[in-house]
Amino acid sequence: MIHKTLKPFPKDFFWGASTSAYQVEGANLEDGKGPSCQDVKELPPGTADLKTCADHYHHYKEDVALMAEMGFKSYRFSIAWTRILPQGTGEVNPKGIEFYNNLIDEIKKYGMEPIVTMFHFDMPAALDERGSWGNRESVDWFVNFAKIMFENFGDRVKYWLTINEQNMLTLVGPIIGTLHLPENCENPMREIYQQNHHMLLAQAKAMVLCHEMLPGAKIGPAPNISLIYPASCKPEDITAAQNFNAMRNWLYLDMAVYGVYNAILWSYLEEHDACPVIEEGDMDIMKQAHPDFIGFNYYNTGTVSASDGTEVAGGDQQSSNGIAGFYKGFKNPYLPVTEFNWEIDPIGFRNTIREMYSRYRLPMLVTENGLGAYDTLTEDGKIHDTYRIKYYQDHIIQIQEAITDGCEMLGYNPWSAIDLVSTHEGIRKRYGFIYVDTTDEEVGSLKRYRKDSFFWYKKVIASNGSDLSDL
């Protein structure tokens, strides 16, 4: 639909940006913090370790002040499980509680809303050794962690996100360093979807607990959602798109919102003897979760064609080769790609929002969206990232289109507030509005520089999204 006039962004729209603890904080084993799965994984060659990252742990006051200078209304960040509970369970680390209390207070000092992700790819290594999410006890581990967070930070944090990109933990766990499979696992698919079931159950219990402990708070999931297109109007391609949408997107949101397994995906699991063990009472708990909103990460759409049965699995968070008998990955000829070969589809952003709102009728919060690129720091301390400004211009206007379509949007928190270590592509893949002087090869001065996109986004926020023009 082509609108004659676009509706304005809501007056209380959460303009901000996002980070995650293990990618930005550094100080990964300081002040009592225990190792997470990210600290002990084998790193891709040539990428920085997590000892320093952007050193947000020691620079948080400076970083939050820069966010406030941009005019942020919100800051979405994660709490590192092992900074609070070094072994994942047991004794609480007071230094970890102190750090996040200080960070939250600093955010509130500037009138920003802290939006907290409870789990962002960083299972405690001690719990990884006990089976990670494959252990049924993981449900209780997570709920205990949630309770500690609600007790210590719930007086100031009103918006909570449960598990970041659970669908990516399930679909591409080895790439993001989170998949734990037992030795001699006979049916990896069944094991993976059993882990997924435990995560879904842990999420539901955390939502119920949040509503009990913090009646004024709001909580929701945070999957990575990419609407899947059929490669053509050929009926078999449309079936393939429905297949992959069910696997990649709707399984997680159907469960979070309705407490039911997606039928298409369940049929696929049945065919592969991969259905999880569901204990008595599990599904009743799922139905009690009642999320208040949907947080979601969006980078691009996907396109698929009918499977020819020869597909070999592979890809990353935003691309997939396909699954034999289910769908075949297809390169969309109408979309450009980033320097890191991720397709760019701003209109697909609107399409994805519309589809989610049609299916679930809950307010939506963008918790990630952004452009990873090789940024260059000039001799005079400038970063001219016009390509990032263009990316955001094209995507923000599509949020406004979706709002005019009737979709309820809470805010926009793109990835990322400052440069950080990308999941498997290091610091060289920069996303931030703020440049951090460090590289994958060596730790630099860690000085912060305002990119051109910093000043542009400041202007956007000040106008509540009405001025998207170039600098």
Side-chain angles (χ1 to χ4, degrees):
M1 146 182 0
I2 299 175
H3 295 294
K4 296 178 180 178
T5 305
L6 294 180
K7 293 179 182 178
F9 285 90
K11 292 181 180 179
D12 55 355
F13 194 73
F14 285 143
W15 296 101
S18 296
T19 64
S20 87
Y22 86 88
Q23 294 172 276
V24 75
E25 286 179 2
N28 67 328
L29 297 177
E30 286 187 30
D31 288 341
K33 181 183 177 295
S36 78
C37 63
Q38 298 293 342
D39 298 310
V40 300
K41 75 178 183 181
E42 183 178 346
L43 293 167
T47 59
D49 60 31
L50 304 178
K51 293 185 181 69
T52 305
C53 300
D55 202 26
H56 182 62
Y57 187 77
H58 297 112
H59 291 256
Y60 74 91
K61 288 189 176 182
E62 177 185 2
D63 294 337
V64 173
L66 285 166
M67 296 176 205
E69 183 182 333
M70 269 191 281
F72 279 18
K73 310 300 182 185
S74 59
Y75 171 40
R76 178 248 183 174
F77 62 97
S78 73
I79 290 177
W81 192 330
T82 54
R83 205 176 287 287
I84 302 297
L85 292 162
Q87 298 302 310
T89 61
E91 188 175 348
V92 174
N93 175 26
K95 284 285 190 180
I97 298 292
E98 179 184 9
F99 171 71
Y100 290 112
N101 270 327
N102 290 340
L103 175 60
I104 291 166
D105 288 345
E106 198 71 13
I107 294 166
K108 298 288 285 186
K109 183 177 82 174
Y110 292 102
M112 288 186 274
E113 193 74 40
I115 299 172
V116 171
T117 307
M118 301 162 70
F119 180 80
H120 195 123
F121 299 170
D122 55 356
M123 174 64 76
L127 300 184
D128 234 7
E129 294 173 0
R130 294 168 62 182
S132 188
W133 291 108
N135 187 333
R136 173 84 183 191
E137 292 181 20
S138 60
V139 177
D140 294 330
W141 300 338
F142 183 73
V143 174
N144 174 62
F145 176 44
K147 183 173 183 289
I148 292 168
M149 286 189 285
F150 296 156
E151 288 173 340
N152 286 277
F153 314 125
D155 59 326
R156 287 152 294 152
V157 176
K158 304 304 179 187
Y159 288 85
W160 298 87
L161 299 161
T162 52
I163 298 175
N164 178 74
E165 295 192 353
Q166 183 179 331
N167 49 345
M168 297 301 103
L169 291 166
T170 301
L171 295 172
V172 291
I175 292 173
I176 57 181
T178 57
L179 181 63
H180 178 101
L181 290 177
E183 292 185 14
N184 304 316
C185 180
E186 295 182 359
N187 189 333
M189 186 186 299
R190 184 197 301 147
E191 171 64 24
I192 288 169
Y193 280 93
Q194 187 67 56
Q195 293 188 20
N196 179 66
H197 179 74
H198 292 158
M199 281 188 271
L200 291 169
L201 187 59
Q203 170 177 261
K205 285 193 169 188
M207 288 182 180
V208 171
L209 183 64
C210 180
H211 291 138
E212 289 175 353
M213 293 182 63
L214 307 173
K218 297 182 183 298
I219 189 167
N224 177 318
I225 301 298
S226 295
L227 188 64
I228 305 302
Y229 300 145
S232 74
C233 56
K234 183 180 177 182
E236 291 87 346
D237 289 349
I238 294 170
T239 302
Q242 291 177 337
N243 289 343
F244 195 33
N245 269 310
M247 173 179 283
R248 195 197 187 287
N249 300 319
W250 312 141
L251 163 64
Y252 307 92
L253 290 177
D254 285 359
M255 186 60 79
V257 178
Y258 301 128
V260 297
Y261 269 101
N262 179 276
I264 294 172
L265 194 280
W266 190 262
S267 174
Y268 174 80
L269 296 179
E270 285 181 327
E271 288 228 337
H272 292 82
D273 189 25
C275 294
V277 174
I278 300 176
E279 295 190 5
E280 185 176 354
D282 284 2
M283 301 312 296
D284 291 334
I285 293 169
M286 303 286 197
K287 290 182 183 296
Q288 296 169 19
H290 304 307
D292 301 289
F293 65 95
I294 293 173
F296 73 102
N297 303 346
Y298 173 87
Y299 289 94
N300 55 33
T301 49
T303 307
V304 301
S305 60
S307 168
D308 61 13
T310 65
E311 294 79 19
V312 177
D316 61 16
Q317 298 101 307
Q318 299 306 133
S319 63
S320 177
N321 297 340
I323 296 176
F326 205 58
Y327 72 92
K328 184 182 185 68
F330 185 88
K331 182 175 175 56
N332 192 323
Y334 300 102
L335 301 178
V337 297
T338 72
E339 292 177 301
F340 291 84
N341 208 37
W342 284 10
E343 292 176 346
I344 301 174
D345 186 5
I347 295 174
F349 195 16
R350 177 189 181 187
N351 294 339
T352 301
I353 292 169
R354 284 159 56 118
E355 185 67 19
M356 277 195 293
Y357 196 68
S358 176
R359 291 178 68 96
Y360 304 109
R361 284 299 183 128
L362 284 174
M364 289 173 288
L365 174 67
V366 181
T367 45
E368 287 184 27
N369 171 239
L371 178 71
Y374 295 107
D375 293 340
T376 301
L377 178 66
T378 63
E379 290 185 3
D380 60 350
K382 307 293 185 184
I383 303 93
H384 301 303
D385 57 340
T386 53
Y387 40 85
R388 183 169 290 110
I389 292 172
K390 175 71 165 73
Y391 179 96
Y392 283 133
Q393 286 171 326
D394 292 344
H395 283 76
I396 291 173
I397 191 63
Q398 294 301 324
I399 300 176
Q400 193 172 9
E401 292 275 1
I403 289 171
T404 310
D405 291 332
C407 302
E408 186 177 354
M409 299 298 297
L410 295 176
Y412 183 60
N413 286 257
W415 189 263
S416 57
I418 68 176
D419 286 345
L420 38 66
V421 177
S422 285
T423 305
H424 59 283
E425 290 166 307
I427 293 168
R428 62 177 59 87
K429 188 181 186 182
R430 296 180 182 268
Y431 279 93
F433 293 106
I434 300 162
Y435 185 97
V436 180
D437 180 28
T438 191
T439 68
D440 286 300
E441 291 71 33
E442 60 181 355
V443 177
S445 69
L446 298 174
K447 182 177 178 180
R448 274 60 171 152
Y449 295 87
R450 299 163 180 81
K451 301 181 187 180
D452 285 357
S453 59
F454 176 105
F455 299 104
W456 175 83
Y457 196 43
K458 179 179 180 178
K459 176 170 66 75
V460 171
I461 296 173
S463 71
N464 195 33
S466 65
D467 183 1
L468 301 180
S469 62
D470 294 336
L471 286 173

